[in-house]
């Protein structure tokens, strides 16, 4: 039973499963990715009823990422299995091209795309020292004046993880989602801190939890750019490969841009916790449009790149 007395069940990416063992994909990973909860009973009129693919505890607060001020009625509830696919696949039809006829990868593009795909296949392993060090480095970059008491600690909720151990939040996206966050913190520290601490704009009481939002953005980018396919067939995916030619860290920089875009959408829509799906959908559509520009050759050519320079 949840804190609100509601019934929970897990919705796993691919098909629904109410009980029994969790399923894994071919790499041995648990299927699913943490996303945001919905109200149960159904939300009042005017709120979009979200459907979930997995369970995430609320961890939001006006001045931090913690869950203490949330009413008990808000908890991780159930939804149908179509949410994730609908969010990342059905909105706004992509401009499709024939990759076989119009786009051939150069040796450099093949090399860099393969290197990126290898990163996507690395699960987060809490027993690996390098993964532990990356997690500690993320904490130190986020809160340099606060000593981390341990890899399992209540402190992680201040960053917007679902519980005391961030490991559980990496299941759906792997080590690359931690790499993305750490790259953001190290490369654009001012922008990272501004989003982490919600320093800009008029904020609502029910803010999005920063770290888990970051994992969702990593996953969204992988789907948008078709990085799990042999090669992209949509214009955004093809243009990304061209950008990757000019900038080997294009995926990580694009992640930072997407995070900035999401937060800007959040503020523009005056969104609250229950509207995260709508915000991420609007972010995806805008990013899709920018990645479809004909004169896109460098990551700096994206109009939203300027968000990192605020």
């Amino acid at each position: 039973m949840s804190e609100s007395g509601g019934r929970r069940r897990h919705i796993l990416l691919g098909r629904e499963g109410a009980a029994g063992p969790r399923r894994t994909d071919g790499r041995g990973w648990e299927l699913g990715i943490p996303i945001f909860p919905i109200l149960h009973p159904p939300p009042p009129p005017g709120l979009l009823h979200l459907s979930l693919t997995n369970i995430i505890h609320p961890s939001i607060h006006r001045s931090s990422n913690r869950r203490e001020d949330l009413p008990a009625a808000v908890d991780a509830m159930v939804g149908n299995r179509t949410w994730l696919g609908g969010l990342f696949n059905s909105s706004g039809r992509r401009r499709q091209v024939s990759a076989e006829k119009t786009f051939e990868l150069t040796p450099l593009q093949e090399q860099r795309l393969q290197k990126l795909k290898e990163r996507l296949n690395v699960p987060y392993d809490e027993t690996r020292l390098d993964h532990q060090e990356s997690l500690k480095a993320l904490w130190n970059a986020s809160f340099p004046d606060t000593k981390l008491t341990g890899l399992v600690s209540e402190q992680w909720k201040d960053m917007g993880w679902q519980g005391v151990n961030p490991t559980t939040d990496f299941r759906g996206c792997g080590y690359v989602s931690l790499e993305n966050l750490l790259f953001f913190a190290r490369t654009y520290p001012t922008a990272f801190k501004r989003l982490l601490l919600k320093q800009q704009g008029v904020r609502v009481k029910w803010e999005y939890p920063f770290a888990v939002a970051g994992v969702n953005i990593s996953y969204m980018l992988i789907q948008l750019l078709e990085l799990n396919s042999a090669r992209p067939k949509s214009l955004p995916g093809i243009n990304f490969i061209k950008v990757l030619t000019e900038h080997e860290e294009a995926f990580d920089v694009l992640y930072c841009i997407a995070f900035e875009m999401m937060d800007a959408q959040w503020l523009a829509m005056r969104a609250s916790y229950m509207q995260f799906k709508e915000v991420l959908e609007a972010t995806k559509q805008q990013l899709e449009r920018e990645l479809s520009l004909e004169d896109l050759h460098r990551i700096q050519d994206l109009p939203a790149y300027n968000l990192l320079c605020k």
Side-chain angles (χ1 to χ4, degrees):
M1 296 290 287
S2 68
E3 293 174 3
S4 60
R7 179 171 57 89
R8 291 183 186 174
R9 57 179 175 164
H10 289 276
I11 306 301
L12 301 180
L13 183 60
R15 63 177 185 273
E16 183 174 328
R22 299 190 181 204
R23 302 185 324 286
T24 59
D25 64 10
R27 296 169 293 180
W29 294 18
E30 180 182 340
L31 294 175
I33 186 169
I35 55 176
F36 294 86
I38 59 173
L39 292 175
H40 185 74
L47 283 181
L48 179 66
H49 187 84
L50 308 185
S51 302
L52 305 183
T53 60
N54 208 338
I55 299 302
I56 174 80
H57 295 283
S59 56
I60 50 178
H61 188 276
R62 188 189 238 318
S63 60
S64 73
N65 289 295
R66 297 181 71 90
R67 64 172 291 177
E68 279 73 7
D69 279 7
L70 266 180
V74 180
D75 206 342
M77 294 299 162
V78 302
N80 72 51
R81 62 189 172 86
T82 64
W83 187 87
L84 196 66
L87 176 59
F88 294 127
N89 296 323
S90 68
S91 66
R93 297 192 178 277
R94 290 184 186 172
R95 185 174 165 193
Q96 297 290 333
V97 298
S98 174
E100 290 77 16
K101 293 182 180 179
T102 65
F103 184 65
E104 293 295 331
L105 296 179
T106 67
L108 178 60
Q109 290 170 343
E110 289 273 13
Q111 178 186 17
R112 290 188 173 178
L113 181 59
Q114 181 59 34
K115 185 177 179 180
L116 177 56
K117 288 184 175 184
E118 289 173 358
R119 288 177 60 193
L120 304 183
N121 285 326
V122 179
Y124 180 80
D125 184 349
E126 61 184 324
T127 67
R128 285 183 54 167
L129 291 180
D130 56 335
H131 289 198
Q132 293 176 16
E133 291 304 315
S134 293
L135 193 55
K136 292 176 185 177
L138 178 62
W139 175 268
N140 291 332
S142 302
F143 305 109
D145 298 325
T146 304
K147 181 178 177 58
L148 180 65
T149 59
L151 291 176
V152 177
S153 169
E154 286 284 336
Q155 290 174 292
W156 290 112
K157 295 180 183 179
D158 291 330
M159 197 184 296
W161 298 104
Q162 74 170 26
V164 299
N165 186 356
T167 299
T168 59
D169 294 329
F170 295 126
R171 288 175 180 153
C173 205
Y175 183 57
V176 71
S177 55
L178 173 55
E179 289 183 312
N180 288 157
L181 281 167
L182 190 53
F183 178 90
F184 194 5
R186 288 172 167 171
T187 310
Y188 305 102
T190 301
F192 178 86
K193 280 290 186 68
R194 172 166 38 83
L195 269 58
L196 170 66
L197 302 178
K198 311 294 197 311
Q199 292 175 335
Q200 179 176 295
V202 178
R203 296 288 174 174
V204 295
K205 182 176 181 180
W206 291 7
E207 278 288 326
Y208 64 86
F210 176 82
V212 174
V215 176
N216 278 268
I217 291 170
S218 295
Y219 186 85
M220 180 267 285
L221 285 179
I222 293 169
Q223 302 304 305
L224 174 62
L225 303 175
E226 302 175 279
L227 294 177
N228 287 325
S229 302
R231 65 173 56 194
K233 295 184 179 181
S234 66
L235 191 56
I238 290 173
N239 277 346
F240 171 74
I241 300 300
K242 295 177 181 178
V243 170
L244 193 61
T245 308
E246 300 298 323
H247 198 318
E248 190 170 7
E249 295 179 324
F251 181 76
D252 300 273
V253 178
L254 187 60
Y255 169 87
C256 301
I257 295 171
F259 216 137
E260 284 275 19
M261 292 174 71
M262 186 278 294
D263 190 74
Q265 287 282 1
W266 180 272
L267 292 173
M269 294 170 64
R270 298 181 179 178
S272 187
Y273 189 68
M274 297 304 304
Q275 296 169 290
F276 184 80
K277 173 191 174 182
E278 298 172 76
V279 173
L280 195 59
E281 171 67 9
T283 302
K284 172 183 171 287
Q285 291 184 8
Q286 179 62 29
L287 190 58
E288 195 169 20
R289 285 191 291 269
E290 295 199 11
L291 285 168
S292 297
L293 296 174
E294 293 182 357
D295 58 348
L296 184 64
H297 302 289
R298 306 174 306 147
I299 194 72
Q300 293 88 347
D301 294 333
L302 287 170
Y305 179 81
N306 291 330
L307 291 172
L308 291 173
C309 305
K310 291 191 298 181

